[in-house]
Every structure is written in structure tokens, then in C-alpha cells.
Amino acid sequence: MPELVLELNGRTWTLDASRPYTLGRDPQGDIVLDDARVSWRHATISWGGRSWVIEDHGSTNGTFVQGQRIHQMEVGPGSAVHFGNATDGPRLSLAGAGSAGGGAPQAQPQQQPYAAQGAPAAGWAQQAPPQQQQAPQPPSQQQAPQGGHIPQQQGPGGGAGAPPVYGDRSPTTFHQMSLGRVMRIGRALENELVVSDLQVSRHHAEFHATPDGRYEIRDLGSHNGTYVNGLPIAKGGSALLGANDIVGVGHSTFRLVGDRLEEFVDTGEVSFSARHLTVTVDGGKQILKDVSFGVPEKSLIAVIGPSGSGKSTLLKALTGYRPANEGDVLYDNRNLYKQFAELRQRIGLVPQDDILHKELTVKKALKYAAKLRFPADTTQAERSTRIDEVLRELKLDIHKEKKITSLSGGQRKRVSVALELLTKPSLIFLDEPTSGLDPGMDRDVMQLLRGLADDGRTVLVVTHSVAELAICDKLLVMAPGGSVAYFGPPEEALNFFGYDTWADVFSAFENYRDYDWAGRWKGSQHYQMYAADIDAVAPQSVGMPTAQSMRPQKPQSWISQLTTLVRRYVAVIVSDKGFLALSVLLPAVLGAVSLLIEPGQALTANPPRANGVIQPNGTTTTVLLILAVGACFSGAANSVRELIKERVIYERERATGLSRSAYLMSKVIVLGVITMLQGAMMGAIGFGTRELPKEGLVLGSSVLVELALPIMALGFAAMMFGLVISALVKTAEKTMPLLVMFAVAQLPFTGCLLILNGAIGVNQVSYLFPSRWAVAAAGATLDFNKIFPDQDDPSNTDPLWENTVAAWTLDMAALITLAVICGVLVARFLRRHEPEVMRN
């Protein structure tokens, strides 16, 4: 097997054919290329059996041979490979063993990195900084102007009138089609067209030729969907392709031009623009007014402004979470609103609050996130490899076994960014990532974002911090009322406003709220330089697609999502030692309190007195009252904070295809099991030490179990009421008062303090309280009509307390019905906390 010699800037590596070699920025790789345009694990070179093969691993900026971007290609002595850019990227020359120029000494790759630390390779000192580097384009293509406007021209490689695909870029590669041939697309190597993208299923879709000479695309049951012109086709369905139709599969886009299939790979270098965005709320008030701006690829954009300037509304409009009432958002000339189902996979959003469960370790949290976001047919090894790549890229690999709660604020924000980078988004939005951080961490986070942009992504950050604006490419300043006050280079902003500090600018916004800041901006020279081209283009008037077509497809089946969510929730609970201890201590204490009420007293009817009057057994009613209120309190306490504390996590995961019902069921299953075990503990303590009837109504001699079942069901119903509260409130602080109110409100409606039967109005209201039915079910077993008779009217017997199987069954069925109604309400209330495009 022949050896291969690689040469770069006077350094050589001799490759042995017995193993593959990794190339990239990863310091642990075999050949380290210290250039911002090179991905962390960019490519590998290995002996393929008959020749050497270089394979690109989905790098951001690409691998090039003879000016053409390649994914996998045979190479040999005499070849030259560029990384990150076809012309001025790091150039690796290949030669046979013993033929390296100048007799350079041979060395193993791990011993000779591309550039020593602190000593950049010769020939690179004259290059522009990374944020200023732009991939050169052929003379026939028009360079995007500084403002980021991409002219609406014919698409690359197509005829006149072809829609643009990724601005004005040329196809990444071409594939020849022939009649009668089936070209299958997927991640597996046996496909005719292999796409190295974890968003793509192993066997994703296939092109078919029809008898009339046309082509159709068939989805093969893919997990993330196949899209035609941005709209999904049915899972397992097909669609005929016309001239210039665009097929989307993961991060790749295909277009048939004659008998040639053009492939465009979204490498992350995308332009982005907003045109005339206006958001109107109820009453006709505009909270975002005619916002237009555009940015070129590999840009870092900061958005600042005073409170009430519409920054959060703008972020929701730009991400598609809450589409603007008027205007367009263009992702490389593709309308985000109309093609949200496809493009949402390429957009990352890091909210202000952390979007990970802090009780988990970094790696475990990312493991569950990857399981939910990647297709079901990705292997654990594939997901683990991607997680390790992201952790190394963000320098989190040394913290991967630490709990997120033990990390600093800046490190936690890096973990949130890492979660979004799993799916290799081209466009990343961040909402107040430096909020609450000290100046040092503020700088670290902003430098992290600068690196993400330099590595081939477009990054937009909403921030209140102005200390690190200088490292951004563009600055968008929002004025009170939701209009643009400035857009352009950050170093020119203060001079534009005529102030020395940003504090002065914000004070001017506050003191002159009625001033026409937008008019001043549009009348300035800066507007002509940086925004006029974008603002001059009228928004498209094409109607929006249906909500059904805008909703993203679920990457996992419902059962798979439910299983992952349950496992993650159990892991979170197990990691919270305090919650586990409280879950055992609370029911034990509540059950023990009932033992203080006349210890040893039987829970049966007292024998009648000599005059025939039945003496009430107050011990039984008091014990049941304590256990019922305790079950309500513990059940609701388990769930009352669960949805509100995960609201940001749920909102983000819902946008990536999470099933609402699977999420809710995971809560119901895990919390339901915990709550019912608590109810069983309370029932065993409260009833187990007392004399009970010899026979039950349903379970015969198992009277203790029959009495514990209503307490367990009551705890479950109370847990569902707690979920309703958690879905309704806006802040976690409001849950505790409502929890106490819910538990206390059960007291008069248990029937243990008041005679409810016959009390018009009060009795009917009591049917809405779960404690009424739980006490009634236990009362039916104990024959409450004899234990607690109406002293004023002994003939007034409560039908819910009848010592019959029918009464017990009715009471338990009513309790379960209340829990189901609560589940339906929670599902409805959860809709309010979802991206608008996800609501159905």
C-alpha cells in the first residue's frame, strides 16, 4: 500500500495507508489547519483500497479540488486541495513517498501541526481579518453590495426566469440524470446521492422518471421531510417536478435543469434581510414599524434599543415565531414565512433564559436534545460524535461531565449555544445572551459569537450591553415605538447620533419619544449607504401558505419522543436530590398527622345508643379530611411549577418539531407515578393502623387497598389541577399562592365538615372539587351514611356515600373524568406558549 506525502507551507506529513487521517481546526486531529475558514473536523484522508480518498465531513466552507467543491473524491500525487476557500484557503499539495520538494524531513502528522502556536505560517500575514474575508466570485456573477442586498436575478445554472437558490451562487455539484434511472438520496452510503447531514434520513427520498419524460420526487418516509419549493410533501408521498422547482432535503437543495440535477449545499454563508416588517396588535397599535435591513454572509449583527423599542417583537418576527403582519424575511432570497417548515432546520435560537435542564450534566443534556432533534434512524454513535464536535468547538469538552448548575453564567450560555449548533444552523439568533453577566463574561460571549460568524454563520444578537459592539459587523438601533433609528457600522453610530456615549443616546430616546427618529435615519447619508437598496424593494404580495404546511415535520415518532421525554424527565428528577427527599418526606408527614387523631380508633360506625340514635364517628371523618387535603396538597405541589419553569425549553423544542401531546404525556406519566405512590404511602399510614370493615365493596378482604385507591386517584387529579395552574400563570412566583388556595378550598367541599347533600347550589359546586369524589368513594366503602348521619334529618342520606359498588364506581369515574378534563385544558393552555406558526 503506497504512502502519501502532504505538503503545506514547507511542512510535510507522510501518511500510512493503514489508517485514516483527520484534518481540521481540532487540536486533537492528525493535521491541524489553524484557519478560521476551516471547520473543526473538516475532512479525512484515507486509503480506499485502490487509491487515496479525501472526504469532506459537511464542513461549513467546503473542500475544493481544481476550483470545484467536493464531498468525496479520489486523489493522488500531483493533486492540490484547498480548504475553506477555492482560491486562497489553506492549500495542501499531495506527492508520492520520497518526492516531497527540498527533501523535507518526514514526520508523523500528530507531531507536525500545520502552524505552531503563536507562529502563523508564512504568506498569511497580509490577509484581511476573518470577518472581512469574502469568497471571491466569478466575474459573471455580481458581488453583493455592502448593505447585504442580493439582486433578484436569474438563478445559477438555470434558464431565464429561474428562481434564485442561495442568492447568486453556483451549484455545489452536478449529477447527471437519465430516463428510467432512480436516484435515491440519503445519509447511507448505498444511496446513489449521499448527503452527509444528520438532518437527512438514511434513505430519505428518490427521484423517479415518469413515462412522459418528466421527473417526480418521492419521499421515503423521511423523518424531517422532503420539500418542494419550501412546502412539505406528504410523508411517503410524491410530487411532480416542473421547470425550476426546488427540492429541499436537510441542508441541501436540488433543482433539475434539463437532464442535469444541480445540488446546492447550505454551507452557512447565507445573506439575510428583513423588508418592511410591521407588527400590529389588538386595537391597531403598531409595535414594529416598517423595519428593513440586510446583512451579507458571515456577519455578526447587534440589535440594541431602549425598553419598548420592539426588540423582542423583532426577534420573533425574524425567526418566524410570530410572523409580521406585513413585510418579508428573506433567508438568501427565500421567504422564511412561506418556507418556514423547511428553513426552520437551518435557524438556531438561543433565548435569554437557558434552554437546558440545569440538573443534568452538559453531555447528558445535549444527548437528550440530540435524540429529540435528529431523525430516528441516527445511531447513538452518530449523535455522540456530533456532540463531541460541538463541545470541542466551544471549548466545553473539559466541562462535559459537570452539572449545568455548577457552571458559570458564560459557560451556561455556551451550553445553550452548543445545543443549537448540533443541527449546524446557518443563521443563529440570541436574545440577551449577556444579561446578568459580568464585563469579563460579556466579552467572552461576544467573542464567541464573533467566532461563530467568522466560521461561516450569520449571527444576530439582541443585547443591552454596549461594551463589545465594536466587534460586530453591523449595528441595528431601534427607537421607541418599534422603528429603525440607525443601521450600519457600530463605529459610526455615536457620531451619527451626535453623542459621546450610549447613555446619552438612550436618554435622548427617553426624553424625545415623539421625535421622528426613523425619519431622521431615512434622510441620512448612512441610510443611502447601508439600507436604501433593501428598503426600496417592495415586499412580496404572494399569499401565505396554510398553517398546516408551515408546521415542521416531527423528526421522531410520537412514541419515540415520549420515550425520550420520559427518560429525560426521570433523569432530571433523579438528579434533584432535594425533590426526591421531599417527595418521600411530605406524604409520610401528612400520613403521620392523621395518626394523632384518637390513635387506634376504629374507622367503622359506632353501635346505636339504647334509644336507637346513631352516634357519629368523628374520628373517621377527621382522618379522611386530613388525608384528602394532604393528597390534594402533595399532588398539586408536585406539578404546579413544572410547566412554568420549562416554558422557554418547551417553546424552543416545539419549534423544532416536538409533539405537544408527547410532552404533556411525559409529565402526566412521571408525575402521576410519583403522586400515586405518595397517595399509597399516605393511605397505608393513615388507614393501616386502624380497625377497618371486614369486607370492601370491590376488592373484598383487601379493604386497605380499596381505601387507598381514592387517595391515590385524588393525588393524581390534584396533580392535573397543578398542571393547569402551571400552564396558566406567567411567573413561577404566582404558583405558591394558588397552590395554597387550591388545597384550602377543598376543605368545605369534602363533605366531612358540612352536610352537602340537599344544600342547593353548594352541593352542585362541590362536584367540581376532586376531594368531594375521593372522600365519597372512601365513604362508600366505609358506609358513611351510617358513620356520619345527618343529625337533623336521619333520612337525608347522600347517594354518593351509598355502600354499593355502583356508588363507588361512580365516585372513582368522576374523579378520573376531572383529571381528563384538566389534561384537555392544559393542552389548550400550552398553545399560548408556542410559536404562532405551531398552533393548530
Side-chain angles (χ1 to χ4, degrees):
M1 293 184 294
E3 293 180 335
L4 185 70
V5 177
L6 308 184
E7 181 178 359
L8 190 148
N9 290 337
R11 298 181 180 273
T12 61
W13 298 263
T14 300
L15 275 56
D16 182 6
S18 62
R19 71 178 186 90
Y21 294 82
T22 62
L23 302 90
R25 292 193 352 260
D26 184 0
Q28 303 300 319
D30 297 304
I31 301 173
V32 181
L33 305 176
D34 190 14
D35 187 278
R37 295 168 294 179
V38 177
S39 294
W40 196 254
R41 286 196 170 184
H42 196 104
T44 58
I45 295 182
S46 60
W47 176 253
R50 64 176 185 179
S51 64
W52 289 91
V53 177
I54 185 167
E55 180 180 0
D56 185 279
H57 287 291
S59 64
T60 300
N61 296 319
T63 304
F64 300 87
V65 175
Q66 296 181 347
Q68 294 295 318
R69 182 165 183 164
I70 58 100
H71 291 291
Q72 189 177 47
M73 186 176 183
E74 294 183 354
V75 293
S79 301
V81 182
H82 283 86
F83 299 93
N85 190 283
T87 56
D88 64 352
R91 182 179 185 274
L92 203 61
S93 300
L94 284 67
S99 61
Q106 298 181 359
Q108 292 300 317
Q110 58 269 31
Q111 297 174 340
Q112 291 288 341
Y114 154 61
Q117 292 183 356
W124 287 82
Q126 289 76 32
Q127 287 192 351
Q131 61 267 31
Q132 297 177 353
Q133 295 170 2
Q134 297 289 336
Q137 301 184 16
S140 61
Q141 294 181 335
Q142 189 170 352
Q143 183 78 14
Q146 188 174 7
H149 172 53
I150 304 296
Q152 298 279 356
Q153 301 178 357
Q154 78 172 51
V165 179
Y166 297 128
D168 301 310
R169 297 188 181 91
S170 296
T172 306
T173 187
F174 304 93
H175 309 276
Q176 196 66 32
M177 302 288 289
S178 59
L179 290 176
R181 180 186 177 191
V182 175
M183 180 174 285
R184 188 171 57 185
I185 307 171
R187 209 173 68 248
L189 297 178
E190 61 264 23
N191 292 286
E192 287 78 15
L193 204 163
V194 178
V195 179
S196 299
D197 181 357
L198 290 184
Q199 295 288 346
V200 177
S201 298
R202 295 184 62 82
H203 301 97
H204 196 104
E206 57 189 17
F207 287 96
H208 280 260
T210 61
D212 59 359
R214 302 173 65 186
Y215 286 93
E216 69 175 4
I217 182 70
R218 294 182 184 176
D219 183 84
L220 300 179
S222 64
H223 299 281
N224 277 324
T226 304
Y227 302 84
V228 176
N229 298 326
L231 301 181
I233 63 176
K235 193 169 186 176
S238 63
L240 281 173
L241 300 177
N244 302 317
D245 279 345
I246 299 172
V247 176
V249 174
H251 285 77
S252 297
T253 304
F254 303 90
R255 182 173 59 194
L256 277 167
V257 179
D259 60 351
R260 186 175 67 175
L261 182 67
E262 299 179 343
E263 179 181 3
F264 302 80
V265 178
D266 188 342
T267 61
E269 297 182 345
V270 297
S271 63
F272 181 75
S273 62
R275 295 177 179 173
H276 305 284
L277 297 183
T278 298
V279 174
T280 305
V281 295
D282 296 339
K285 180 182 178 181
Q286 290 185 339
I287 55 178
L288 204 64
K289 298 179 182 178
D290 196 27
V291 174
S292 298
F293 66 94
V295 294
E297 59 193 35
K298 297 175 65 173
S299 296
L300 174 59
I301 308 96
V303 180
I304 64 172
S307 299
S309 58
K311 299 188 300 297
S312 297
T313 303
L314 175 63
L315 191 64
K316 292 179 180 179
L318 295 176
T319 56
Y321 270 40
R322 199 286 189 193
N325 300 97
E326 301 176 20
D328 299 322
V329 176
L330 300 185
Y331 177 104
D332 246 15
N333 279 341
R334 303 180 66 185
N335 192 300
L336 175 64
Y337 296 162
K338 297 179 177 65
Q339 303 183 26
F340 178 79
E342 177 187 354
L343 296 180
R344 57 97 188 179
Q345 303 178 45
R346 310 179 191 183
I347 296 176
L349 173 62
V350 181
Q352 181 175 349
D353 297 324
D354 293 325
I355 52 177
L356 290 166
H357 293 87
K358 299 178 182 179
E359 300 83 0
L360 301 178
T361 64
V362 172
K363 188 166 186 178
K364 185 173 289 187
L366 294 180
K367 181 188 75 172
Y368 287 119
K371 178 70 174 175
L372 288 172
R373 296 193 180 195
F374 287 135
D377 61 2
T378 53
T379 64
Q380 181 177 347
E382 289 175 315
R383 294 192 298 270
S384 297
T385 298
R386 180 58 189 154
I387 290 171
D388 290 340
E389 289 174 355
V390 171
L391 290 176
R392 283 194 296 268
E393 182 177 359
L394 297 182
K395 298 180 175 61
L396 286 169
D397 47 334
I398 59 175
H399 304 295
K400 63 182 179 181
E401 300 302 334
K402 296 179 182 178
K403 284 189 176 182
I404 297 176
T405 50
S406 66
L407 302 179
S408 66
Q411 290 168 343
R412 286 201 302 270
K413 192 58 62 178
R414 282 178 177 265
V415 178
S416 294
V417 173
L419 185 150
E420 294 301 316
L421 291 184
L422 289 175
T423 54
K424 296 185 178 181
S426 304
L427 193 59
I428 303 177
F429 295 89
L430 300 100
D431 187 11
E432 300 285 358
T434 61
S435 177
L437 301 183
D438 61 47
M441 290 184 180
D442 181 356
R443 180 179 58 192
D444 291 343
V445 171
M446 292 301 292
Q447 288 178 344
L448 165 68
L449 303 185
R450 176 71 265 171
L452 294 177
D454 293 339
D455 205 24
R457 304 175 182 92
T458 300
V459 183
L460 186 145
V461 53
V462 175
T463 181
H464 278 300
S465 174
V466 297
E468 302 297 330
L469 295 180
I471 68 174
C472 300
D473 297 302
K474 293 290 188 294
L475 174 65
L476 176 66
V477 183
M478 300 294 293
S483 58
V484 177
Y486 173 83
F487 177 72
E491 61 270 16
E492 300 177 17
L494 286 176
N495 183 58
F496 170 82
F497 287 107
Y499 292 100
D500 295 327
T501 67
W502 282 109
D504 295 331
V505 175
F506 278 52
S507 295
F509 283 149
E510 181 64 28
N511 297 331
Y512 306 101
R513 298 186 71 88
D514 295 331
Y515 182 75
D516 186 10
W517 295 100
R520 180 178 183 271
W521 155 243
K522 290 188 176 181
S524 68
Q525 183 179 4
H526 283 77
Y527 171 80
Q528 297 298 324
M529 295 173 60
Y530 302 116
D533 289 343
I534 293 291
D535 210 19
V537 181
Q540 302 177 24
S541 59
V542 181
M544 294 289 288
T546 63
Q548 182 70 25
S549 64
M550 292 180 69
R551 290 205 312 274
Q553 191 165 322
K554 297 177 178 61
Q556 302 278 334
S557 67
W558 190 88
I559 292 294
S560 178
Q561 285 193 358
L562 176 63
T563 302
T564 302
L565 289 168
V566 168
R567 291 177 58 194
R568 182 178 70 179
Y569 195 24
V570 170
V572 170
I573 291 177
V574 171
S575 300
D576 191 347
K577 307 301 182 185
F579 179 81
L580 286 177
L582 187 61
S583 297
V584 175
L585 186 62
L586 181 61
V589 171
L590 293 173
V593 169
S594 68
L595 299 179
L596 302 178
I597 310 301
E598 298 189 32
Q601 174 69 39
L603 300 183
T604 56
N606 291 322
R609 295 180 179 177
N611 57 6
V613 177
I614 298 176
Q615 180 183 2
N617 186 344
T619 301
T620 304
T621 55
T622 305
V623 168
L624 270 179
L625 178 66
I626 293 173
L627 294 179
V629 174
C632 285
F633 184 82
S634 61
N638 288 338
S639 61
V640 76
R641 298 173 66 94
E642 289 307 302
L643 299 182
I644 181 64
K645 76 179 184 180
E646 291 187 1
R647 185 160 294 173
V648 177
I649 298 175
Y650 171 72
E651 181 179 358
R652 181 66 191 121
E653 291 183 341
R654 182 76 172 121
T656 62
L658 178 69
S659 167
R660 180 194 308 150
S661 58
Y663 175 78
L664 178 56
M665 280 303 299
S666 70
K667 298 294 183 186
V668 171
I669 291 173
V670 177
L671 292 175
V673 170
I674 293 174
T675 302
M676 293 182 72
L677 289 175
Q678 290 176 329
M681 183 185 299
M682 281 190 287
I685 295 174
F687 296 126
T689 60
R690 300 180 185 271
E691 181 183 344
L692 303 175
K694 297 293 189 293
E695 291 288 330
L697 293 173
V698 180
L699 301 180
S701 59
S702 301
V703 181
L704 178 60
V705 177
E706 187 174 317
L707 288 172
L709 282 177
I711 303 301
M712 296 166 64
L714 175 58
F716 183 84
M719 181 271 294
M720 296 301 296
F721 270 91
L723 288 178
V724 172
I725 295 173
S726 192
L728 277 173
V729 298
K730 294 183 178 180
T731 62
E733 288 74 18
K734 295 180 180 179
T735 58
M736 288 300 105
L738 292 174
L739 169 63
V740 174
M741 289 173 57
F742 171 75
V744 173
Q746 306 299 318
L747 287 170
F749 297 107
T750 57
C752 296
L753 298 177
L754 304 172
I755 299 297
L756 298 176
N757 187 52
I760 304 301
V762 176
N763 190 34
Q764 286 69 31
V765 171
S766 71
Y767 296 159
L768 302 176
F769 289 79
S771 60
R772 168 72 159 120
W773 300 100
V775 171
T781 299
L782 296 171
D783 198 359
F784 247 32
N785 282 323
K786 291 183 179 180
I787 292 178
F788 192 53
D790 187 345
Q791 297 295 304
D792 297 328
D793 183 7
S795 63
N796 180 25
T797 58
D798 193 332
L800 301 182
W801 292 356
E802 290 293 335
N803 188 229
T804 63
V805 174
W808 190 90
T809 304
L810 173 64
D811 297 333
M812 293 296 291
L815 200 54
I816 295 172
T817 300
L818 283 177
V820 172
I821 292 173
C822 287
V824 174
L825 291 176
V826 174
R828 297 293 296 175
F829 294 149
L830 278 176
R831 293 178 66 252
R832 303 184 311 162
H833 312 298
E834 298 174 357
E836 188 169 306
V837 295
M838 296 297 299
R839 301 174 187 173
N840 50 40

